[in-house]
Amino acid sequence: MTIGLAIVGAGYWGPNLVRTALATPAIRLDWLCDLDIQRARAVLGAHGTARATDSYDTVLNDPAVDAVAIATPAASHFDLVRSALEAGKHVLVEKPLTASVAEGEKLASLAQRSGLVLMCDHTYCYTPAVQRIRELIRTGAIGDIQFIDSVRINLGLVQPDVDVLWDLAPHDLSILDFVLPEDVAPVAVAAHVGDPIGAGRACLAYLSLWLSNGALAHVHVNWLSPTKIRTTVFGGSRRTIVWDDTNPAGRLAIHDRGVDTLPAGALARDERRQALISYRTGDTLIPALPEREALLSVMAEFSAAISNRRPPLTDARAGLRVLTVLEAASRSVDLGGARTALNGVAE
Ligand SMILES: NC(=O)c1ccc[n+]([C@@H]2O[C@H](COP(=O)([O-])OP(=O)(O)OC[C@H]3O[C@@H](n4cnc5c(N)ncnc54)[C@H](O)[C@@H]3O)[C@@H](O)[C@H]2O)c1
């Protein structure tokens, strides 16, 4: 089965969807739609037979179109996704799923009722590195998660419609959602933000997340850093994974180094303080990872979910879980950085 696809949005990210859709055998790109038709034409160039349009109605009324991929600003996602689902089209939508949990819930249930695929492009979940991290965590290879520390800072475009939390933290939050064991999830957040350039929105943010197993995670996102750092540390009771996404020669390092503790009962009272903690220094393993572009895997997953009538790996529910954390984080900012439960109540 070949899937007729229309892509909406030919700005910064849309052209990547165009390129990877054209490289996916199960997909036939029919349309590229943008309010700015010249932009859509320029992106398509001489590529194949896809047509440019500035009319979303034309796309939705075309019976050859089975699915729509949306790469427009977050505030427009809700209306565009809803219209597509109502027209009977499967949807791949960029992160964040919508601009609020309430909107996301409506879309998730509409997709479910209609029997249509609604997939969120949580791109990083399709990188070989994150897939290996998920395997290492979920098979117990690193033991229990004790802490997570994620830094994603760079000189980034100050977005006109969202702050840095809603622009960049969806990456970290979708990764956490993807790799954490199924019974471990955030229960509360606290967020602190800064806007030192007077942009009118947060340009840097520090987000703490308390996890249901007692572990603490931290996410640092920033548009103003002259150096690019994309490093996440997953600290486990047996091993620690360090993921440096800027280092293609060794993106992942698995350290058999850490802190061991002895059960308190095993020691006499006066020995306890010194002997409870010991440091372990073992080997570091750099696993060989396949080089595969994540967006090609996103396209493959979207088309497989449609063909097999199954939920995609990053479905609307995954998008909703990310939104729930983002909304609680924004609430925490409004509350001056207070620890806030995921239902928005300060604790
Ligand atoms: N997955 C990733 O790694 C990743 C990376 C960057 C951006 N994104 C996401 O992609 C989306 C788009 O971001 P961008 O940086 O490409 O934005 P952008 O502003 O560069 O481009 C958006 C395009 O959408 C068009 N557009 C807006 N409303 C439209 C409508 N109603 N109908 C048709 N066209 C419309 C605009 O004319 C523009 O060309 C955002 O949700 C963003 O978060 C994802």
Side-chain angles (χ1 to χ4, degrees):
M1 166 189 178
T2 304
I3 294 157
L5 179 72
I7 293 173
V8 187
Y12 166 67
W13 195 247
N16 292 323
L17 296 184
V18 170
R19 182 175 46 76
T20 46
L22 287 169
T24 303
I27 290 177
R28 181 193 67 243
L29 182 64
D30 288 336
W31 293 101
L32 176 58
C33 173
D34 198 292
L35 296 177
D36 180 345
I37 193 168
Q38 297 306 343
R39 195 177 281 175
R41 284 198 182 115
V43 169
L44 282 181
H47 282 317
T49 54
R51 286 171 286 172
T53 179
D54 56 7
S55 163
Y56 193 45
D57 285 343
T58 303
V59 166
L60 296 187
N61 289 330
D62 181 350
V65 172
D66 303 297
V68 175
I70 293 169
T72 60
S76 62
H77 289 179
F78 178 69
D79 285 338
L80 293 173
V81 174
R82 186 180 55 182
S83 312
L85 293 172
E86 285 172 352
K89 315 292 186 193
H90 304 282
V91 179
L92 169 67
V93 60
E94 273 312 318
K95 59 83 192 162
L97 174 61
T98 53
S100 73
V101 173
E103 288 179 350
E105 274 168 354
K106 283 183 195 152
L107 296 183
S109 41
L110 177 56
Q112 198 166 11
R113 277 202 310 279
S114 323
L116 293 163
V117 171
L118 175 52
M119 174 167 165
C120 208
D121 177 14
H122 289 164
T123 316
Y124 279 97
C125 301
Y126 297 88
T127 58
V130 172
Q131 300 207 329
R132 182 64 66 87
I133 293 167
R134 174 176 153 116
E135 187 187 304
L136 288 164
I137 292 177
R138 292 198 167 192
T139 57
I142 71 160
D144 297 329
I145 289 284
Q146 294 177 332
F147 69 91
I148 297 169
D149 204 315
S150 195
V151 182
R152 184 178 303 278
I153 68 178
N154 194 10
L155 276 186
L157 286 177
V158 173
Q159 299 289 327
D161 59 333
V162 286
D163 66 10
V164 71
L165 263 177
W166 283 74
D167 183 41
L168 294 186
H171 293 308
D172 307 273
L173 297 175
S174 60
I175 292 164
L176 292 197
D177 181 68
F178 189 68
V179 303
L180 284 174
E182 281 184 26
D183 57 351
V184 178
V187 291
V189 299
H192 301 93
V193 299
D195 172 19
I197 59 168
R201 64 196 72 247
C203 293
L204 58 102
Y206 299 91
L207 176 62
S208 301
L209 297 112
W210 287 267
L211 305 183
S212 53
N213 69 340
L216 190 57
H218 191 261
V219 172
H220 171 197
V221 285
N222 186 330
W223 283 327
L224 306 178
S225 165
T227 50
K228 178 171 177 172
I229 305 178
R230 281 190 185 169
T231 302
T232 310
V233 182
F234 298 87
S237 53
R238 295 183 53 213
R239 290 190 179 85
T240 293
I241 306 170
V242 178
W243 170 35
D244 178 357
D245 202 38
T246 62
N247 177 9
R251 280 188 216 279
L252 285 190
I254 305 163
H255 299 274
D256 186 8
R257 263 187 287 169
V259 178
D260 286 331
T261 50
L262 293 172
L267 297 165
R269 198 173 230 285
D270 51 349
E271 292 177 305
R272 270 184 212 164
R273 196 178 317 149
Q274 286 141 354
L276 273 178
I277 292 176
S278 70
Y279 294 89
R280 185 166 26 87
T281 314
D283 291 337
T284 295
L285 179 79
I286 312 277
L289 294 173
E291 275 298 324
R292 179 169 166 80
E293 185 180 354
L295 262 188
L296 284 171
S297 302
V298 168
M299 287 295 167
E301 174 67 6
F302 185 46
S303 50
I306 294 170
S307 303
N308 302 325
R309 297 260 156 198
R310 63 158 172 84
L313 216 46
T314 51
D315 61 4
R317 298 282 154 201
L320 257 178
R321 290 191 294 274
V322 169
L323 287 180
T324 305
V325 177
L326 287 173
E327 222 169 71
S330 292
R331 178 91 183 116
S332 167
V333 171
D334 292 344
L335 293 166
R339 174 173 159 145
T340 306
L342 292 197
N343 62 6
V345 175
E347 292 185 332

